[in-house]
């Protein structure tokens, strides 16, 4: 028996997690969630299929065949989910600031603020929902070298209607939460933004899965030639004499055109509020740039997830990115509300004159924003421990189970949130000094940076954990490979 076979056999006997690869993918566990009877098993699938299966499993979409067949839909998930930071969390922060500063106390003024803000996010969601699939298709075309027009229509229609409906649903929910919190005497900054971030993933992914499956079921690939002697049924014709596939091919373009045609209506409603008009003119750059920053995090995920040492990374990515985005959005909203109440745009308070404050003043003083930063920082470790416990209960066989990984994962989460909270302090001061509203300009950037930092640090955690496990394995198996 050669050294490689000895190392693999001994690793199995010792019950260690990592084994040396011989160039083939490891077989799935027989007691896993995807196991089937022996008579129904097929030959191993290519790496791309297994990669898509793991990614879809991590976001709860493994039962939707469209995510297995149309791989670019998985590339579309991060930009659409990121809309919660670009649109809904920004909306929640704006409404919270308006409520805390008394702009929503008068019923007539409240109606104007709510209608203009909801119309604004519908415009932004429609435009970004149309741009997101173009980026996904570009990445897919660069990797495969081909572009399918039917896939273009499917992704564009799925993305636009998902962004449109998710923005409407979450926008209405944020309005109800902010108004209810104001009546109950609770600060909306503490509840509206986290709820927008938490429910944003669930609502967005549910809508995307439903409508992408619907469009995929009715997609038009052109009627296949019918031969009387074949076992295939003849094409179905409607009353106009067109085939069913020819008729359904107009479904996705009509959805895109119909939703885009509503954009002028939302613009007219939004223009009734002067501050919203300014966002319509100058608020596009933060949203689009934040989407680009988040795409780099998706690029890291796509490049690493197919390797054995990063197995299970797709399950942790939404957790670490979501926690960081939630906490920094809360802090940004609180600092923005503080400045709106105690200062005027373009003028910083005396105790906030420095654009680059000392990190100790951000976390270690008795100032109200520093106290808030400390509380949010103390929530990182307990929050991640709860999520880790749930992950190990549900998907324990797909993720590393060593104490080393847990330590490095918690350290990565702490580093991510510390950097984001400090950058929130810096960016809010800079934008306020430029007479810009931090609610509109800071949160998209910070959530995008949170995705990038979280994905990068998570990949580093998996790599370090794998290297240490390999070193430990080599130390254990070294005597076994020597002479008897």
């Amino acid at each position: 028996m050669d050294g490689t076979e000895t190392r693999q056999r001994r690793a199995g006997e010792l019950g260690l997690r990592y084994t040396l690869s011989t160039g083939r993918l490891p077989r799935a566990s027989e007691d896993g969630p995807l196991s089937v009877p022996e008579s129904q098993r097929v030959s191993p699938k290519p790496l791309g299929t297994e990669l898509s299966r793991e990614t879809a499993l991590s976001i709860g979409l493994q039962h939707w065949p469209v995510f297995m067949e149309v791989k670019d839909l998985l590339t579309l998930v991060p930009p659409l989910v990121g809309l919660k930071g670009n649109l809904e969390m920004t909306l929640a922060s704006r409404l919270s600031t308006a409520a805390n500063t008394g702009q929503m106390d008068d019923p007539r003024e409240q109606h104007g603020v709510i209608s203009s803000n909801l119309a604004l996010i519908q415009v932004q969601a429609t435009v970004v929902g149309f741009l997101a699939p173009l980026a996904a298709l570009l990445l897919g075309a660069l990797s495969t070298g081909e572009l399918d027009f039917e896939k273009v229509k499917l992704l564009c229609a799925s993305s636009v209607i998902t962004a449109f409906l998710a923005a409407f649903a979450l926008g209405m929910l944020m309005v109800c939460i902010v108004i209810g919190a104001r009546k109950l005497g609770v600060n909306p900054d503490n509840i509206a933004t986290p709820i927008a971030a938490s429910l944003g993933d669930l609502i967005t992914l549910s809508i995307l899965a439903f409508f992408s499956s619907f469009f995929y079921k009715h997609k038009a690939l052109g009627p296949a030639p019918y031969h009387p002697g074949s076992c295939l049924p003849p094409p179905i014709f409607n009353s106009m004499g067109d085939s069913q596939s020819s008729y359904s091919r107009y479904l996705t373009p009509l959805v895109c055109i119909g939703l885009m045609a509503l954009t002028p209506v939302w613009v007219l409603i939004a223009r009734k509020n002067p501050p919203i008009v300014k966002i319509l003119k100058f608020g596009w750059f933060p949203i689009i740039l934040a989407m680009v920053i988040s795409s780099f995090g998706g690029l890291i995920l796509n490049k690493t997830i197919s390797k054995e040492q990063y197995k299970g990374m797709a399950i942790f990515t939404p957790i670490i990115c979501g926690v960081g985005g939630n906490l920094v959005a809360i802090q940004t909203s609180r600092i923005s509300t503080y400045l709106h109440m105690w200062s005027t745009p373009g003028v910083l308070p005396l105790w906030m004159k420095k654009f680059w404050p000392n990190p100790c003043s951000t976390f270690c003083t008795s100032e109200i924003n520093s106290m808030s930063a400390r509380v949010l920082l103390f929530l990182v470790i307990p929050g991640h421990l709860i999520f880790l416990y749930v992950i190990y209960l549900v998907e324990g066989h797909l993720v590393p189970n060593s104490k080393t990984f847990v330590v490095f994962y918690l350290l990565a989460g702490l580093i991510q949130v510390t950097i984001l909270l400090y950058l929130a302090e810096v960016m809010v001061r800079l934008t306020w000094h430029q007479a810009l509203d931090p609610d509109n300009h800071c949160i998209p950037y910070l959530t995008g940076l949170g995705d990038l930092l979280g994905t990068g640090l998570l990949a580093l955690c998996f790599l370090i954990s794998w290297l240490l496990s390999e070193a430990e394995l080599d130390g254990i198996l070294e005597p076994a490979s020597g002479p008897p």
Side-chain angles (χ1 to χ4, degrees):
M1 181 178 297
D2 57 16
T4 301
E5 294 175 347
T6 302
R7 290 165 66 91
Q8 291 180 337
R9 178 179 60 82
R10 290 288 297 159
E13 293 173 356
L14 293 171
L16 297 176
R17 175 176 174 80
Y18 295 103
T19 59
L20 296 180
S21 173
T22 59
R24 296 186 299 270
L25 291 174
R27 294 189 305 173
S29 175
E30 294 182 0
D31 57 351
L34 300 176
S35 60
V36 295
E38 187 71 29
S39 60
Q40 299 179 8
R41 292 187 179 178
V42 295
S43 58
K45 295 184 178 181
L47 179 60
T49 303
E50 295 299 323
L51 168 61
S52 300
R53 188 186 302 274
E54 180 183 1
T55 308
L57 179 64
S58 69
I59 59 177
L61 299 174
Q62 70 272 25
H63 300 299
W64 299 85
V66 63
F67 284 88
M68 301 301 167
E69 300 296 332
V70 184
K71 306 296 190 301
D72 289 328
L73 271 175
L74 293 173
T75 310
L76 189 62
V77 168
L80 288 180
V81 172
L83 282 177
K84 73 176 186 297
N86 298 338
L87 303 183
E88 281 79 21
M89 291 170 66
T90 305
L91 170 68
S93 181
R94 281 200 305 268
L95 293 178
S96 299
T97 300
N100 287 326
T101 54
Q103 300 179 32
M104 298 178 65
D105 292 341
D106 181 72
R108 182 176 299 178
E109 188 176 1
Q110 180 187 97
H111 179 268
V113 171
I114 292 174
S115 60
S116 58
N117 274 278
L118 290 179
L120 172 65
I121 65 166
Q122 291 304 120
V123 176
Q124 294 174 329
T126 304
V127 174
V128 176
F130 185 74
L131 294 177
L134 299 182
L137 289 167
L138 179 61
L139 292 175
L142 291 176
S143 60
T144 61
E146 59 183 10
L147 187 63
D148 187 358
F149 184 67
E150 293 300 329
K151 189 183 296 184
V152 173
K153 295 192 296 183
L154 172 64
L155 264 67
C156 286
S158 302
S159 176
V160 172
I161 195 170
T162 298
F164 182 89
L165 294 178
F168 178 78
L170 289 170
M172 294 298 297
L173 180 62
M174 290 304 101
V175 169
C176 296
I177 291 175
V178 170
I179 294 177
R182 183 65 174 172
K183 290 183 177 180
L184 294 175
V186 180
N187 188 354
D189 283 325
N190 296 331
I191 57 175
T193 304
I195 291 177
S198 303
L199 294 181
D201 293 351
L202 176 62
I203 294 176
T204 301
L205 291 177
S206 300
I207 296 174
L208 177 63
F210 177 80
F211 280 100
S212 60
S213 298
F214 176 80
F215 292 140
Y216 181 74
K217 181 179 178 181
H218 294 84
K219 71 177 182 178
L221 299 177
Y226 174 66
H227 302 285
S230 68
C231 60
L232 296 175
I236 301 175
F237 292 88
N238 56 21
S239 59
M240 301 294 293
D242 297 325
S243 67
Q244 182 74 21
S245 60
S246 177
Y247 176 77
S248 63
R249 74 176 56 186
Y250 298 106
L251 176 62
T252 50
L254 285 176
V255 170
C256 293
I257 295 173
L259 294 178
M260 294 293 291
L262 292 176
T263 303
V265 178
W266 307 126
V267 172
L268 291 176
I269 298 175
R271 290 184 63 181
K272 296 180 180 180
N273 192 339
I276 300 300
V277 175
K278 187 177 180 180
I279 300 175
L280 276 174
K281 293 180 178 179
F282 308 108
W284 293 100
F285 184 75
I287 295 175
I288 296 175
L289 184 58
M291 185 179 66
V292 174
I293 295 174
S294 297
S295 299
F296 282 102
L299 182 62
I300 295 175
L301 182 63
N302 290 335
K303 293 295 183 182
T304 56
I305 197 174
S306 60
K307 301 179 181 179
E308 175 65 20
Q309 57 264 42
Y310 300 100
K311 181 181 179 182
M313 182 174 168
I315 300 176
F316 287 94
T317 301
I319 304 299
I320 192 170
C321 294
V323 169
N326 290 356
L327 297 180
V328 74
I330 295 173
Q331 179 69 357
T332 305
S333 182
R334 291 180 62 90
I335 300 175
S336 176
T337 300
Y338 178 82
L339 290 174
H340 276 93
M341 295 178 65
W342 296 101
S343 184
T344 57
V347 180
L348 285 168
L350 291 176
W351 53 92
M352 297 179 68
K353 283 294 184 180
K354 290 184 179 180
F355 292 152
W356 297 91
N358 189 330
C360 293
S361 65
T362 304
F363 299 99
C364 303
T365 66
S366 59
E367 197 262 332
I368 184 171
N369 292 324
S370 178
M371 295 173 60
S372 174
R374 286 199 300 272
V375 171
L376 295 175
L377 197 60
F378 291 152
L379 293 176
V380 175
I381 299 298
H384 276 300
L385 286 175
I386 294 174
F387 287 124
L388 280 170
Y389 180 72
V390 175
I391 289 174
Y392 284 127
L393 286 180
V394 178
E395 303 288 353
H397 60 286
L398 293 177
V399 297
N401 55 6
S402 64
K403 295 181 180 179
T404 303
F405 172 79
V406 173
V407 171
F408 279 106
Y409 175 77
L410 295 177
L411 182 62
L414 199 61
I415 293 174
Q416 176 207 26
V417 175
T418 302
I419 294 175
L420 289 176
L421 291 177
Y422 178 74
L423 290 178
E425 185 77 25
V426 173
M427 292 185 67
V428 169
R429 296 187 184 197
L430 290 174
T431 53
W432 189 261
H433 179 71
Q434 298 296 325
L436 299 174
D437 191 350
D439 288 330
N440 302 321
H441 293 80
C442 293
I443 292 181
Y445 291 136
L446 291 169
T447 53
L449 287 173
D451 292 343
L452 180 60
L453 276 174
T455 309
L457 291 172
L458 184 62
L460 190 61
C461 288
F462 272 87
L463 180 60
I464 294 176
S465 178
W466 181 79
L467 290 175
L468 292 177
S469 298
E470 286 292 299
E472 181 182 358
L473 179 64
D474 290 338
I476 295 176
L477 297 182
E478 190 65 30
S481 59

